[in-house]
Amino acid sequence: MAKNAVRAMRYRDDASGYIWIDGKDYVLVMHPILTEQEGNNRYDMTDQNGVTVTQNVVTSAQAGGGYNEFYFTKSDGVTAAPKIAYSEMFEPWGWAVATGNYVDEMNAKIEGMKASIEKQFSGMLLIYGVAAVVMLFAALGISAVSGVRLTKGIKMVESNLHQASMGDLRFTVSPVLMKRVDEIGSMARSLENVRQSLANMLGSVVHTGESLMQISERFSEKFEYISKSIKDANQAIDDLAQGATNQANETETVNDKIVELGGEGRGIRKGICRCGGRNP
């Protein structure tokens, strides 16, 4: 049953791969192609180069498994070609289980696979090339759109900065710009913060100016009142000075009169003394 199960085993796409079994006594246990040789001892079987095929296969199997190279006749019974076999020993029954492939068939298979791979690779290169071109154009398109969007945002920020440099803070930075997550959005948000800060500062300055104006007006009113009071005081002082001058003149006149009267009195006293001899 085991021999029949192994006999039916095939591999490769064309089912040309098969497995045979040699005993460790070099007797052919099973061969799906050379069925007529089953039971024969193949110890002395050699190829055209004198390689002992069965001995080497069994020896490699007993060594734990290995490869062997030799010439062997193909299934047409005529063509001898180089073959590479691999064998392992199934210890319970002493079977050297082996399989092999002809080198020319493997090379043809490799060349076919190589051609298929090259064809697939060429197709992949074509696909990748087309994809690269598409991605390049897409990148250029995205770059162009991004460039326009970036330039537009920069121009808007530049316009607002120009207004701010002229002292005009009546603009408002575009909310669309401030929602952006790139550097332009960051600039727009910073500009709006600066605008609001300057507007608040100017508002405070204007309010302070208005307060100062009101204080100045009140001060002017007080100054006019003080000036008027000073003028009134000066007038009063002038009046007092004029009065004092007049009084001084009058005093001087009175003094002259007194002096005159004093002179006359001395004359009278002198006359009394001459006349009566009495003390005045």
Side-chain angles (χ1 to χ4, degrees):
M1 291 174 64
K3 287 192 294 182
N4 290 332
V6 175
R7 191 190 305 276
M9 292 180 181
R10 292 289 186 274
Y11 59 92
R12 289 206 296 262
D13 294 339
D14 58 358
S16 59
Y18 59 87
I19 299 173
W20 77 88
I21 302 172
D22 286 307
K24 62 181 178 180
D25 55 0
Y26 311 107
V27 173
L28 181 61
V29 176
M30 185 279 298
H31 198 295
I33 305 300
L34 304 175
T35 56
E36 71 280 0
Q37 295 183 20
E38 292 179 1
N40 294 342
N41 190 307
R42 303 195 302 171
Y43 179 81
D44 296 326
M45 186 179 72
T46 59
D47 66 1
Q48 62 190 32
N49 296 323
V51 176
T52 54
V53 177
T54 303
Q55 289 183 43
N56 290 346
V57 169
V58 172
T59 299
S60 295
Q62 289 177 329
Y67 292 94
N68 297 105
E69 297 183 24
F70 51 85
Y71 274 79
F72 203 78
T73 304
K74 290 189 175 183
S75 58
D76 59 6
V78 178
T79 305
K83 191 172 187 177
I84 299 177
Y86 179 81
S87 59
E88 285 189 14
M89 182 65 68
F90 183 64
E91 292 293 347
W93 294 347
W95 285 0
V97 182
T99 187
N101 288 279
Y102 291 99
V103 174
D104 59 345
E105 293 179 356
M106 288 193 291
N107 288 336
K109 183 70 173 178
I110 291 171
E111 289 298 324
M113 293 178 66
K114 184 178 178 181
S116 177
I117 291 172
E118 289 177 350
K119 183 178 180 180
Q120 292 179 9
F121 183 70
S122 299
M124 290 173 63
L125 283 180
L126 179 62
I127 293 173
Y128 289 154
V130 173
V133 172
V134 171
M135 291 176 66
L136 177 61
F137 279 104
L140 290 175
I142 293 172
S143 298
V145 173
S146 298
V148 171
R149 183 168 178 262
L150 184 64
T151 304
K152 183 178 179 182
I154 291 175
K155 287 183 177 179
M156 293 175 68
V157 173
E158 181 184 11
S159 176
N160 291 335
L161 285 172
H162 179 70
Q163 285 183 266
S165 68
M166 300 298 291
D168 183 6
L169 300 177
R170 291 173 297 178
F171 66 88
T172 302
V173 181
S174 172
V176 176
L177 287 181
M178 291 192 291
K179 289 181 180 179
R180 290 173 57 161
V181 295
D182 56 4
E183 288 78 5
I184 301 298
S186 189
M187 288 174 57
R189 290 188 291 272
S190 298
L191 177 58
E192 177 61 18
N193 291 335
V194 171
R195 187 197 68 80
Q196 291 180 2
S197 297
L198 288 176
N200 293 335
M201 185 184 301
L202 289 176
S204 299
V205 169
V206 170
H207 179 70
T208 303
E210 291 175 352
S211 299
L212 288 174
M213 183 64 71
Q214 293 176 359
I215 293 172
S216 177
E217 290 176 354
R218 289 197 297 269
F219 179 77
S220 297
E221 293 176 357
K222 296 295 183 181
F223 185 77
E224 290 177 359
Y225 176 77
I226 292 171
S227 297
K228 186 175 182 300
S229 298
I230 291 173
K231 288 180 180 179
D232 293 341
N234 287 334
Q235 185 62 43
I237 291 171
D238 290 340
D239 292 344
L240 288 173
Q242 185 64 37
T245 301
N246 294 336
Q247 187 175 3
N249 291 334
E250 291 176 356
T251 302
E252 185 177 358
T253 302
V254 171
N255 186 55
D256 292 340
K257 295 294 185 180
I258 292 172
V259 170
E260 291 178 0
L261 291 174
E264 293 176 355
R266 285 194 299 270
I268 293 172
R269 287 193 298 270
K270 288 179 181 180
I272 295 173
C273 290
R274 290 191 195 107
C275 293
R278 292 180 298 171
N279 288 330

